[in-house]
Amino acid sequence: MFPYYDGYAWPTRNWVWTAEGPALVYWYQGEYCLLAVRQIATQPAAPSLVAVASMVPEKQPDANLERTIARYYGLQQGIDDVHYYYNRIDLDGDDKLETFVLLSGPTLCGTGGCSAVILKQSGGVNGYRVVSNFMLVRAPIIVSGQKSNGWRDLIMEVSGGGAGAPAYHILHHTGSRYPSNPSAAPRVPAGAGVAGTALFADSADGSFPGIPLTSF
């Protein structure tokens, strides 16, 4: 590159671009001499969203679903102001639809996102049981065609709440549940294509504020 010289002769210094990064150089005895090379951190290419179909959330309230959520989170009527979005989709390939619920409200949200749960139908009191829960969730949630332990992988964007630059993370089912914190899950590799079905497609833009949770 340039010869290195510790001394200082001329007051004029310039940054020039080199293969190793920007270099601070100055003219000395007929040639440029190196003062320093500044390393610049480059942002890796973000994953691209390809072949993503969208599902808008259901608009019809589900009283049994609401009571299950209220009991699970210990919500109190007249105190906790909660709205919810839900989609039904088969996640484990048993030809029965799971219910994916995204919650909204001061009790269940923070700067990094909101809470969400996956429920299966059961013979319990309200007909549902929680099989996975999540925090720091932002819409949309992408359900991948790839599977781990028989369950479709989930792809979530992590941003805000001190998380740094937005990034997509992939959640693999462990055989018993999904990881609850998407920020601790592996990142989708830079430049990879992300394909699947995007849930809660019209909740991120504010065009649908969700269903008020009223059944406790």
Side-chain angles (χ1 to χ4, degrees):
M1 198 175 71
F2 299 106
Y4 188 82
Y5 184 74
D6 289 327
Y8 179 83
W10 294 90
T12 302
R13 296 179 293 177
N14 294 289
W15 284 103
V16 298
W17 185 262
T18 75
E20 298 177 32
L24 181 62
V25 299
Y26 70 95
W27 186 257
Y28 179 69
Q29 294 185 350
E31 62 183 350
Y32 280 110
C33 294
L34 176 68
L35 284 175
V37 175
R38 179 171 59 190
Q39 299 296 324
I40 293 182
T42 57
Q43 183 69 26
S48 57
L49 301 180
V50 296
V52 174
S54 296
M55 287 182 67
V56 297
E58 303 288 340
K59 303 298 193 293
Q60 185 66 33
D62 184 326
N64 286 333
L65 186 65
E66 293 184 21
R67 282 189 285 267
T68 301
I69 293 168
R71 176 177 294 182
Y72 184 77
Y73 285 103
L75 303 177
Q76 300 180 64
Q77 194 167 22
I79 296 177
D80 295 302
D81 181 16
V82 174
H83 287 64
Y84 67 101
Y85 311 83
Y86 71 99
N87 280 126
R88 302 195 197 277
I89 185 169
D90 185 9
L91 296 172
D92 61 356
D94 64 355
D95 295 325
K96 297 178 182 179
L97 300 180
E98 280 70 51
T99 303
F100 210 136
V101 186
L102 176 62
L103 301 157
S104 174
T107 306
L108 299 172
C109 294
T111 57
C114 295
S115 298
V117 289
I118 297 173
L119 303 101
K120 271 185 168 293
Q121 291 188 323
S122 71
V125 176
N126 295 312
Y128 292 99
R129 61 184 176 90
V130 175
V131 294
S132 279
N133 68 297
F134 308 90
M135 56 183 177
L136 306 176
V137 175
R138 294 184 180 277
I141 297 167
I142 300 171
V143 178
S144 170
Q146 302 297 316
K147 291 185 175 182
S148 300
N149 293 304
W151 289 71
R152 295 172 69 177
D153 294 338
L154 304 177
I155 299 170
M156 299 185 186
E157 180 184 333
V158 174
S159 62
Y168 287 100
H169 292 241
I170 184 164
L171 285 72
H172 302 288
H173 201 274
T174 64
S176 58
R177 61 185 298 111
Y178 288 102
S180 60
N181 185 355
S183 67
R187 286 194 178 197
V188 176
V194 175
T197 301
L199 306 184
F200 318 118
D202 63 353
S203 59
D205 61 8
S207 59
F208 174 51
I211 304 169
L213 193 153
T214 57
S215 298
F216 288 81

PDB file of all heavy atoms in Angstrom, residues 111-114 133-138 154-172 178-188:
ATOM      1  N   THR A 111     -41.061  -1.515  24.566  1.00  0.00           N
ATOM      2  CA  THR A 111     -40.409  -0.896  23.422  1.00  0.00           C
ATOM      3  C   THR A 111     -39.867  -1.927  22.435  1.00  0.00           C
ATOM      4  O   THR A 111     -39.664  -1.620  21.260  1.00  0.00           O
ATOM      5  CB  THR A 111     -39.248   0.001  23.894  1.00  0.00           C
ATOM      6  OG1 THR A 111     -38.332  -0.786  24.673  1.00  0.00           O
ATOM      7  CG2 THR A 111     -39.761   1.160  24.732  1.00  0.00           C
ATOM      8  N   GLY A 112     -39.638  -3.145  22.902  1.00  0.00           N
ATOM      9  CA  GLY A 112     -39.107  -4.184  22.027  1.00  0.00           C
ATOM     10  C   GLY A 112     -40.168  -5.022  21.345  1.00  0.00           C
ATOM     11  O   GLY A 112     -39.845  -5.863  20.494  1.00  0.00           O
ATOM     12  N   GLY A 113     -41.447  -4.811  21.661  1.00  0.00           N
ATOM     13  CA  GLY A 113     -42.511  -5.592  21.042  1.00  0.00           C
ATOM     14  C   GLY A 113     -43.549  -6.017  22.060  1.00  0.00           C
ATOM     15  O   GLY A 113     -43.602  -5.508  23.180  1.00  0.00           O
ATOM     16  N   CYS A 114     -44.380  -6.971  21.662  1.00  0.00           N
ATOM     17  CA  CYS A 114     -45.520  -7.394  22.483  1.00  0.00           C
ATOM     18  C   CYS A 114     -45.476  -8.897  22.743  1.00  0.00           C
ATOM     19  O   CYS A 114     -44.605  -9.611  22.239  1.00  0.00           O
ATOM     20  CB  CYS A 114     -46.826  -7.025  21.779  1.00  0.00           C
ATOM     21  SG  CYS A 114     -47.093  -5.245  21.601  1.00  0.00           S
ATOM     22  N   ASN A 133     -45.345 -19.590  24.235  1.00  0.00           N
ATOM     23  CA  ASN A 133     -45.563 -18.163  24.474  1.00  0.00           C
ATOM     24  C   ASN A 133     -44.322 -17.388  24.040  1.00  0.00           C
ATOM     25  O   ASN A 133     -43.204 -17.927  24.013  1.00  0.00           O
ATOM     26  CB  ASN A 133     -45.876 -17.886  25.941  1.00  0.00           C
ATOM     27  CG  ASN A 133     -44.683 -18.142  26.838  1.00  0.00           C
ATOM     28  OD1 ASN A 133     -44.203 -19.267  26.950  1.00  0.00           O
ATOM     29  ND2 ASN A 133     -44.169 -17.099  27.475  1.00  0.00           N
ATOM     30  N   PHE A 134     -44.504 -16.116  23.715  1.00  0.00           N
ATOM     31  CA  PHE A 134     -43.421 -15.298  23.190  1.00  0.00           C
ATOM     32  C   PHE A 134     -43.475 -13.900  23.801  1.00  0.00           C
ATOM     33  O   PHE A 134     -44.525 -13.427  24.219  1.00  0.00           O
ATOM     34  CB  PHE A 134     -43.530 -15.155  21.665  1.00  0.00           C
ATOM     35  CG  PHE A 134     -43.664 -16.451  20.933  1.00  0.00           C
ATOM     36  CD1 PHE A 134     -44.914 -16.993  20.686  1.00  0.00           C
ATOM     37  CD2 PHE A 134     -42.541 -17.145  20.489  1.00  0.00           C
ATOM     38  CE1 PHE A 134     -45.055 -18.191  20.005  1.00  0.00           C
ATOM     39  CE2 PHE A 134     -42.661 -18.338  19.817  1.00  0.00           C
ATOM     40  CZ  PHE A 134     -43.928 -18.870  19.572  1.00  0.00           C
ATOM     41  N   MET A 135     -42.316 -13.248  23.797  1.00  0.00           N
ATOM     42  CA  MET A 135     -42.236 -11.842  24.148  1.00  0.00           C
ATOM     43  C   MET A 135     -41.448 -11.132  23.051  1.00  0.00           C
ATOM     44  O   MET A 135     -40.850 -11.778  22.176  1.00  0.00           O
ATOM     45  CB  MET A 135     -41.531 -11.655  25.496  1.00  0.00           C
ATOM     46  CG  MET A 135     -40.146 -12.257  25.569  1.00  0.00           C
ATOM     47  SD  MET A 135     -39.439 -12.064  27.227  1.00  0.00           S
ATOM     48  CE  MET A 135     -37.887 -12.937  27.048  1.00  0.00           C
ATOM     49  N   LEU A 136     -41.466  -9.795  23.071  1.00  0.00           N
ATOM     50  CA  LEU A 136     -40.713  -8.982  22.109  1.00  0.00           C
ATOM     51  C   LEU A 136     -41.090  -9.301  20.674  1.00  0.00           C
ATOM     52  O   LEU A 136     -40.235  -9.400  19.778  1.00  0.00           O
ATOM     53  CB  LEU A 136     -39.202  -9.172  22.313  1.00  0.00           C
ATOM     54  CG  LEU A 136     -38.660  -8.932  23.723  1.00  0.00           C
ATOM     55  CD1 LEU A 136     -37.174  -9.253  23.784  1.00  0.00           C
ATOM     56  CD2 LEU A 136     -38.909  -7.506  24.157  1.00  0.00           C
ATOM     57  N   VAL A 137     -42.388  -9.443  20.431  1.00  0.00           N
ATOM     58  CA  VAL A 137     -42.878  -9.828  19.112  1.00  0.00           C
ATOM     59  C   VAL A 137     -43.377  -8.602  18.355  1.00  0.00           C
ATOM     60  O   VAL A 137     -44.064  -7.745  18.917  1.00  0.00           O
ATOM     61  CB  VAL A 137     -44.013 -10.864  19.232  1.00  0.00           C
ATOM     62  CG1 VAL A 137     -44.603 -11.184  17.861  1.00  0.00           C
ATOM     63  CG2 VAL A 137     -43.508 -12.126  19.909  1.00  0.00           C
ATOM     64  N   ARG A 138     -43.040  -8.547  17.083  1.00  0.00           N
ATOM     65  CA  ARG A 138     -43.545  -7.511  16.181  1.00  0.00           C
ATOM     66  C   ARG A 138     -44.198  -8.172  14.982  1.00  0.00           C
ATOM     67  O   ARG A 138     -43.723  -9.203  14.500  1.00  0.00           O
ATOM     68  CB  ARG A 138     -42.415  -6.603  15.709  1.00  0.00           C
ATOM     69  CG  ARG A 138     -41.786  -5.758  16.822  1.00  0.00           C
ATOM     70  CD  ARG A 138     -40.747  -4.812  16.266  1.00  0.00           C
ATOM     71  NE  ARG A 138     -40.143  -4.002  17.306  1.00  0.00           N
ATOM     72  CZ  ARG A 138     -40.664  -2.883  17.795  1.00  0.00           C
ATOM     73  NH1 ARG A 138     -41.832  -2.444  17.327  1.00  0.00           N
ATOM     74  NH2 ARG A 138     -40.053  -2.196  18.750  1.00  0.00           N
ATOM     75  N   LEU A 154     -40.470 -20.358  12.644  1.00  0.00           N
ATOM     76  CA  LEU A 154     -41.042 -19.018  12.704  1.00  0.00           C
ATOM     77  C   LEU A 154     -39.937 -17.993  12.502  1.00  0.00           C
ATOM     78  O   LEU A 154     -38.830 -18.161  13.034  1.00  0.00           O
ATOM     79  CB  LEU A 154     -41.714 -18.774  14.053  1.00  0.00           C
ATOM     80  CG  LEU A 154     -42.795 -19.770  14.472  1.00  0.00           C
ATOM     81  CD1 LEU A 154     -43.312 -19.428  15.865  1.00  0.00           C
ATOM     82  CD2 LEU A 154     -43.938 -19.799  13.463  1.00  0.00           C
ATOM     83  N   ILE A 155     -40.219 -16.959  11.759  1.00  0.00           N
ATOM     84  CA  ILE A 155     -39.250 -15.887  11.514  1.00  0.00           C
ATOM     85  C   ILE A 155     -39.844 -14.584  12.024  1.00  0.00           C
ATOM     86  O   ILE A 155     -40.949 -14.199  11.634  1.00  0.00           O
ATOM     87  CB  ILE A 155     -38.894 -15.786  10.024  1.00  0.00           C
ATOM     88  CG1 ILE A 155     -38.269 -17.105   9.553  1.00  0.00           C
ATOM     89  CG2 ILE A 155     -37.935 -14.623   9.771  1.00  0.00           C
ATOM     90  CD1 ILE A 155     -38.093 -17.210   8.061  1.00  0.00           C
ATOM     91  N   MET A 156     -39.110 -13.927  12.924  1.00  0.00           N
ATOM     92  CA  MET A 156     -39.598 -12.700  13.541  1.00  0.00           C
ATOM     93  C   MET A 156     -38.545 -11.608  13.411  1.00  0.00           C
ATOM     94  O   MET A 156     -37.344 -11.872  13.504  1.00  0.00           O
ATOM     95  CB  MET A 156     -39.919 -12.917  15.019  1.00  0.00           C
ATOM     96  CG  MET A 156     -40.988 -13.948  15.296  1.00  0.00           C
ATOM     97  SD  MET A 156     -41.399 -14.013  17.075  1.00  0.00           S
ATOM     98  CE  MET A 156     -42.527 -15.420  17.103  1.00  0.00           C
ATOM     99  N   GLU A 157     -39.023 -10.393  13.224  1.00  0.00           N
ATOM    100  CA  GLU A 157     -38.117  -9.246  13.209  1.00  0.00           C
ATOM    101  C   GLU A 157     -37.874  -8.779  14.637  1.00  0.00           C
ATOM    102  O   GLU A 157     -38.812  -8.625  15.417  1.00  0.00           O
ATOM    103  CB  GLU A 157     -38.699  -8.088  12.391  1.00  0.00           C
ATOM    104  CG  GLU A 157     -37.784  -6.874  12.352  1.00  0.00           C
ATOM    105  CD  GLU A 157     -38.382  -5.695  11.626  1.00  0.00           C
ATOM    106  OE1 GLU A 157     -39.230  -5.908  10.741  1.00  0.00           O
ATOM    107  OE2 GLU A 157     -38.015  -4.550  11.946  1.00  0.00           O
ATOM    108  N   VAL A 158     -36.618  -8.553  14.971  1.00  0.00           N
ATOM    109  CA  VAL A 158     -36.247  -8.040  16.283  1.00  0.00           C
ATOM    110  C   VAL A 158     -35.724  -6.621  16.097  1.00  0.00           C
ATOM    111  O   VAL A 158     -34.793  -6.392  15.322  1.00  0.00           O
ATOM    112  CB  VAL A 158     -35.170  -8.919  16.951  1.00  0.00           C
ATOM    113  CG1 VAL A 158     -34.682  -8.289  18.254  1.00  0.00           C
ATOM    114  CG2 VAL A 158     -35.727 -10.321  17.207  1.00  0.00           C
ATOM    115  N   SER A 159     -36.331  -5.669  16.797  1.00  0.00           N
ATOM    116  CA  SER A 159     -35.889  -4.273  16.722  1.00  0.00           C
ATOM    117  C   SER A 159     -36.410  -3.538  17.942  1.00  0.00           C
ATOM    118  O   SER A 159     -37.318  -4.007  18.627  1.00  0.00           O
ATOM    119  CB  SER A 159     -36.382  -3.598  15.441  1.00  0.00           C
ATOM    120  OG  SER A 159     -37.798  -3.559  15.405  1.00  0.00           O
ATOM    121  N   GLY A 160     -35.827  -2.362  18.204  1.00  0.00           N
ATOM    122  CA  GLY A 160     -36.271  -1.565  19.341  1.00  0.00           C
ATOM    123  C   GLY A 160     -35.822  -2.164  20.658  1.00  0.00           C
ATOM    124  O   GLY A 160     -35.243  -3.246  20.730  1.00  0.00           O
ATOM    125  N   GLY A 161     -36.093  -1.452  21.740  1.00  0.00           N
ATOM    126  CA  GLY A 161     -35.760  -1.957  23.064  1.00  0.00           C
ATOM    127  C   GLY A 161     -34.285  -2.204  23.275  1.00  0.00           C
ATOM    128  O   GLY A 161     -33.896  -3.094  24.032  1.00  0.00           O
ATOM    129  N   GLY A 162     -33.417  -1.443  22.575  1.00  0.00           N
ATOM    130  CA  GLY A 162     -31.978  -1.634  22.711  1.00  0.00           C
ATOM    131  C   GLY A 162     -31.426  -2.771  21.880  1.00  0.00           C
ATOM    132  O   GLY A 162     -30.282  -3.189  22.077  1.00  0.00           O
ATOM    133  N   ALA A 163     -32.228  -3.301  20.938  1.00  0.00           N
ATOM    134  CA  ALA A 163     -31.785  -4.458  20.152  1.00  0.00           C
ATOM    135  C   ALA A 163     -30.812  -4.086  19.047  1.00  0.00           C
ATOM    136  O   ALA A 163     -30.216  -4.956  18.424  1.00  0.00           O
ATOM    137  CB  ALA A 163     -33.001  -5.167  19.540  1.00  0.00           C
ATOM    138  N   GLY A 164     -30.624  -2.802  18.767  1.00  0.00           N
ATOM    139  CA  GLY A 164     -29.740  -2.395  17.683  1.00  0.00           C
ATOM    140  C   GLY A 164     -30.487  -2.376  16.364  1.00  0.00           C
ATOM    141  O   GLY A 164     -31.709  -2.205  16.307  1.00  0.00           O
ATOM    142  N   ALA A 165     -29.744  -2.570  15.270  1.00  0.00           N
ATOM    143  CA  ALA A 165     -30.355  -2.539  13.941  1.00  0.00           C
ATOM    144  C   ALA A 165     -31.359  -3.675  13.789  1.00  0.00           C
ATOM    145  O   ALA A 165     -31.132  -4.780  14.286  1.00  0.00           O
ATOM    146  CB  ALA A 165     -29.272  -2.647  12.876  1.00  0.00           C
ATOM    147  N   PRO A 166     -32.495  -3.419  13.122  1.00  0.00           N
ATOM    148  CA  PRO A 166     -33.483  -4.480  12.931  1.00  0.00           C
ATOM    149  C   PRO A 166     -32.874  -5.694  12.235  1.00  0.00           C
ATOM    150  O   PRO A 166     -32.041  -5.562  11.344  1.00  0.00           O
ATOM    151  CB  PRO A 166     -34.548  -3.813  12.049  1.00  0.00           C
ATOM    152  CG  PRO A 166     -34.392  -2.347  12.299  1.00  0.00           C
ATOM    153  CD  PRO A 166     -32.917  -2.141  12.536  1.00  0.00           C
ATOM    154  N   ALA A 167     -33.276  -6.882  12.664  1.00  0.00           N
ATOM    155  CA  ALA A 167     -32.772  -8.116  12.071  1.00  0.00           C
ATOM    156  C   ALA A 167     -33.838  -9.186  12.197  1.00  0.00           C
ATOM    157  O   ALA A 167     -34.659  -9.168  13.114  1.00  0.00           O
ATOM    158  CB  ALA A 167     -31.487  -8.562  12.771  1.00  0.00           C
ATOM    159  N   TYR A 168     -33.832 -10.121  11.261  1.00  0.00           N
ATOM    160  CA  TYR A 168     -34.745 -11.254  11.328  1.00  0.00           C
ATOM    161  C   TYR A 168     -34.083 -12.412  12.070  1.00  0.00           C
ATOM    162  O   TYR A 168     -32.910 -12.717  11.844  1.00  0.00           O
ATOM    163  CB  TYR A 168     -35.154 -11.706   9.926  1.00  0.00           C
ATOM    164  CG  TYR A 168     -36.112 -10.766   9.242  1.00  0.00           C
ATOM    165  CD1 TYR A 168     -35.672  -9.844   8.298  1.00  0.00           C
ATOM    166  CD2 TYR A 168     -37.466 -10.789   9.549  1.00  0.00           C
ATOM    167  CE1 TYR A 168     -36.545  -8.980   7.672  1.00  0.00           C
ATOM    168  CE2 TYR A 168     -38.349  -9.932   8.937  1.00  0.00           C
ATOM    169  CZ  TYR A 168     -37.896  -9.028   7.993  1.00  0.00           C
ATOM    170  OH  TYR A 168     -38.770  -8.170   7.396  1.00  0.00           O
ATOM    171  N   HIS A 169     -34.856 -13.036  12.959  1.00  0.00           N
ATOM    172  CA  HIS A 169     -34.370 -14.194  13.708  1.00  0.00           C
ATOM    173  C   HIS A 169     -35.300 -15.370  13.434  1.00  0.00           C
ATOM    174  O   HIS A 169     -36.509 -15.186  13.247  1.00  0.00           O
ATOM    175  CB  HIS A 169     -34.339 -13.887  15.202  1.00  0.00           C
ATOM    176  CG  HIS A 169     -33.316 -12.866  15.589  1.00  0.00           C
ATOM    177  ND1 HIS A 169     -32.282 -13.138  16.462  1.00  0.00           N
ATOM    178  CD2 HIS A 169     -33.149 -11.568  15.222  1.00  0.00           C
ATOM    179  CE1 HIS A 169     -31.537 -12.060  16.625  1.00  0.00           C
ATOM    180  NE2 HIS A 169     -32.045 -11.084  15.877  1.00  0.00           N
ATOM    181  N   ILE A 170     -34.727 -16.564  13.442  1.00  0.00           N
ATOM    182  CA  ILE A 170     -35.513 -17.763  13.149  1.00  0.00           C
ATOM    183  C   ILE A 170     -35.660 -18.618  14.402  1.00  0.00           C
ATOM    184  O   ILE A 170     -34.680 -18.891  15.105  1.00  0.00           O
ATOM    185  CB  ILE A 170     -34.883 -18.560  11.986  1.00  0.00           C
ATOM    186  CG1 ILE A 170     -35.761 -19.757  11.611  1.00  0.00           C
ATOM    187  CG2 ILE A 170     -33.455 -18.987  12.298  1.00  0.00           C
ATOM    188  CD1 ILE A 170     -35.417 -20.349  10.262  1.00  0.00           C
ATOM    189  N   LEU A 171     -36.897 -19.007  14.693  1.00  0.00           N
ATOM    190  CA  LEU A 171     -37.205 -19.788  15.886  1.00  0.00           C
ATOM    191  C   LEU A 171     -37.514 -21.216  15.478  1.00  0.00           C
ATOM    192  O   LEU A 171     -38.482 -21.471  14.743  1.00  0.00           O
ATOM    193  CB  LEU A 171     -38.386 -19.183  16.639  1.00  0.00           C
ATOM    194  CG  LEU A 171     -38.119 -17.900  17.451  1.00  0.00           C
ATOM    195  CD1 LEU A 171     -37.900 -16.699  16.532  1.00  0.00           C
ATOM    196  CD2 LEU A 171     -39.286 -17.610  18.392  1.00  0.00           C
ATOM    197  N   HIS A 172     -36.698 -22.150  15.954  1.00  0.00           N
ATOM    198  CA  HIS A 172     -36.892 -23.570  15.685  1.00  0.00           C
ATOM    199  C   HIS A 172     -37.601 -24.215  16.872  1.00  0.00           C
ATOM    200  O   HIS A 172     -37.234 -23.968  18.023  1.00  0.00           O
ATOM    201  CB  HIS A 172     -35.544 -24.264  15.468  1.00  0.00           C
ATOM    202  CG  HIS A 172     -34.723 -23.682  14.354  1.00  0.00           C
ATOM    203  ND1 HIS A 172     -35.030 -23.849  13.027  1.00  0.00           N
ATOM    204  CD2 HIS A 172     -33.584 -22.924  14.384  1.00  0.00           C
ATOM    205  CE1 HIS A 172     -34.123 -23.237  12.282  1.00  0.00           C
ATOM    206  NE2 HIS A 172     -33.242 -22.664  13.083  1.00  0.00           N
ATOM    207  N   TYR A 178     -41.612 -23.605  21.194  1.00  0.00           N
ATOM    208  CA  TYR A 178     -40.725 -22.641  20.534  1.00  0.00           C
ATOM    209  C   TYR A 178     -39.986 -21.831  21.596  1.00  0.00           C
ATOM    210  O   TYR A 178     -40.501 -21.629  22.700  1.00  0.00           O
ATOM    211  CB  TYR A 178     -41.530 -21.675  19.662  1.00  0.00           C
ATOM    212  CG  TYR A 178     -42.096 -22.260  18.395  1.00  0.00           C
ATOM    213  CD1 TYR A 178     -43.447 -22.623  18.315  1.00  0.00           C
ATOM    214  CD2 TYR A 178     -41.310 -22.421  17.258  1.00  0.00           C
ATOM    215  CE1 TYR A 178     -43.986 -23.138  17.158  1.00  0.00           C
ATOM    216  CE2 TYR A 178     -41.846 -22.942  16.080  1.00  0.00           C
ATOM    217  CZ  TYR A 178     -43.184 -23.298  16.040  1.00  0.00           C
ATOM    218  OH  TYR A 178     -43.718 -23.811  14.877  1.00  0.00           O
ATOM    219  N   PRO A 179     -38.791 -21.319  21.286  1.00  0.00           N
ATOM    220  CA  PRO A 179     -38.140 -20.379  22.207  1.00  0.00           C
ATOM    221  C   PRO A 179     -39.033 -19.161  22.417  1.00  0.00           C
ATOM    222  O   PRO A 179     -39.702 -18.701  21.486  1.00  0.00           O
ATOM    223  CB  PRO A 179     -36.848 -20.002  21.471  1.00  0.00           C
ATOM    224  CG  PRO A 179     -36.629 -21.087  20.469  1.00  0.00           C
ATOM    225  CD  PRO A 179     -37.981 -21.583  20.086  1.00  0.00           C
ATOM    226  N   SER A 180     -39.037 -18.625  23.621  1.00  0.00           N
ATOM    227  CA  SER A 180     -39.952 -17.528  23.929  1.00  0.00           C
ATOM    228  C   SER A 180     -39.393 -16.159  23.552  1.00  0.00           C
ATOM    229  O   SER A 180     -40.154 -15.206  23.365  1.00  0.00           O
ATOM    230  CB  SER A 180     -40.306 -17.528  25.424  1.00  0.00           C
ATOM    231  OG  SER A 180     -39.134 -17.382  26.213  1.00  0.00           O
ATOM    232  N   ASN A 181     -38.072 -16.042  23.439  1.00  0.00           N
ATOM    233  CA  ASN A 181     -37.443 -14.750  23.169  1.00  0.00           C
ATOM    234  C   ASN A 181     -36.803 -14.760  21.781  1.00  0.00           C
ATOM    235  O   ASN A 181     -35.733 -15.358  21.595  1.00  0.00           O
ATOM    236  CB  ASN A 181     -36.392 -14.446  24.234  1.00  0.00           C
ATOM    237  CG  ASN A 181     -35.780 -13.067  24.076  1.00  0.00           C
ATOM    238  OD1 ASN A 181     -36.055 -12.354  23.118  1.00  0.00           O
ATOM    239  ND2 ASN A 181     -34.946 -12.675  25.024  1.00  0.00           N
ATOM    240  N   PRO A 182     -37.408 -14.117  20.790  1.00  0.00           N
ATOM    241  CA  PRO A 182     -36.829 -14.165  19.440  1.00  0.00           C
ATOM    242  C   PRO A 182     -35.451 -13.525  19.349  1.00  0.00           C
ATOM    243  O   PRO A 182     -34.647 -13.916  18.504  1.00  0.00           O
ATOM    244  CB  PRO A 182     -37.853 -13.395  18.591  1.00  0.00           C
ATOM    245  CG  PRO A 182     -38.656 -12.595  19.555  1.00  0.00           C
ATOM    246  CD  PRO A 182     -38.663 -13.359  20.831  1.00  0.00           C
ATOM    247  N   SER A 183     -35.138 -12.563  20.221  1.00  0.00           N
ATOM    248  CA  SER A 183     -33.836 -11.903  20.135  1.00  0.00           C
ATOM    249  C   SER A 183     -32.697 -12.852  20.497  1.00  0.00           C
ATOM    250  O   SER A 183     -31.544 -12.609  20.125  1.00  0.00           O
ATOM    251  CB  SER A 183     -33.803 -10.670  21.043  1.00  0.00           C
ATOM    252  OG  SER A 183     -33.867 -11.033  22.409  1.00  0.00           O
ATOM    253  N   ALA A 184     -32.994 -13.931  21.216  1.00  0.00           N
ATOM    254  CA  ALA A 184     -31.976 -14.914  21.586  1.00  0.00           C
ATOM    255  C   ALA A 184     -31.865 -16.046  20.570  1.00  0.00           C
ATOM    256  O   ALA A 184     -30.996 -16.905  20.692  1.00  0.00           O
ATOM    257  CB  ALA A 184     -32.282 -15.492  22.966  1.00  0.00           C
ATOM    258  N   ALA A 185     -32.746 -16.049  19.567  1.00  0.00           N
ATOM    259  CA  ALA A 185     -32.721 -17.088  18.540  1.00  0.00           C
ATOM    260  C   ALA A 185     -31.711 -16.720  17.451  1.00  0.00           C
ATOM    261  O   ALA A 185     -31.314 -15.562  17.326  1.00  0.00           O
ATOM    262  CB  ALA A 185     -34.118 -17.242  17.940  1.00  0.00           C
ATOM    263  N   PRO A 186     -31.287 -17.690  16.645  1.00  0.00           N
ATOM    264  CA  PRO A 186     -30.298 -17.407  15.587  1.00  0.00           C
ATOM    265  C   PRO A 186     -30.843 -16.408  14.567  1.00  0.00           C
ATOM    266  O   PRO A 186     -32.043 -16.391  14.274  1.00  0.00           O
ATOM    267  CB  PRO A 186     -30.064 -18.779  14.938  1.00  0.00           C
ATOM    268  CG  PRO A 186     -30.567 -19.779  15.911  1.00  0.00           C
ATOM    269  CD  PRO A 186     -31.649 -19.124  16.685  1.00  0.00           C
ATOM    270  N   ARG A 187     -29.947 -15.594  14.033  1.00  0.00           N
ATOM    271  CA  ARG A 187     -30.325 -14.665  12.977  1.00  0.00           C
ATOM    272  C   ARG A 187     -30.457 -15.398  11.644  1.00  0.00           C
ATOM    273  O   ARG A 187     -29.742 -16.356  11.385  1.00  0.00           O
ATOM    274  CB  ARG A 187     -29.282 -13.560  12.822  1.00  0.00           C
ATOM    275  CG  ARG A 187     -29.307 -12.518  13.921  1.00  0.00           C
ATOM    276  CD  ARG A 187     -28.483 -11.321  13.501  1.00  0.00           C
ATOM    277  NE  ARG A 187     -28.512 -10.275  14.511  1.00  0.00           N
ATOM    278  CZ  ARG A 187     -28.164  -9.018  14.286  1.00  0.00           C
ATOM    279  NH1 ARG A 187     -27.740  -8.663  13.086  1.00  0.00           N
ATOM    280  NH2 ARG A 187     -28.217  -8.124  15.246  1.00  0.00           N
ATOM    281  N   VAL A 188     -31.376 -14.905  10.822  1.00  0.00           N
ATOM    282  CA  VAL A 188     -31.428 -15.383   9.449  1.00  0.00           C
ATOM    283  C   VAL A 188     -30.166 -14.879   8.749  1.00  0.00           C
ATOM    284  O   VAL A 188     -29.823 -13.699   8.862  1.00  0.00           O
ATOM    285  CB  VAL A 188     -32.683 -14.850   8.739  1.00  0.00           C
ATOM    286  CG1 VAL A 188     -32.697 -15.274   7.275  1.00  0.00           C
ATOM    287  CG2 VAL A 188     -33.945 -15.338   9.448  1.00  0.00           C
TER     288      VAL A 188
END
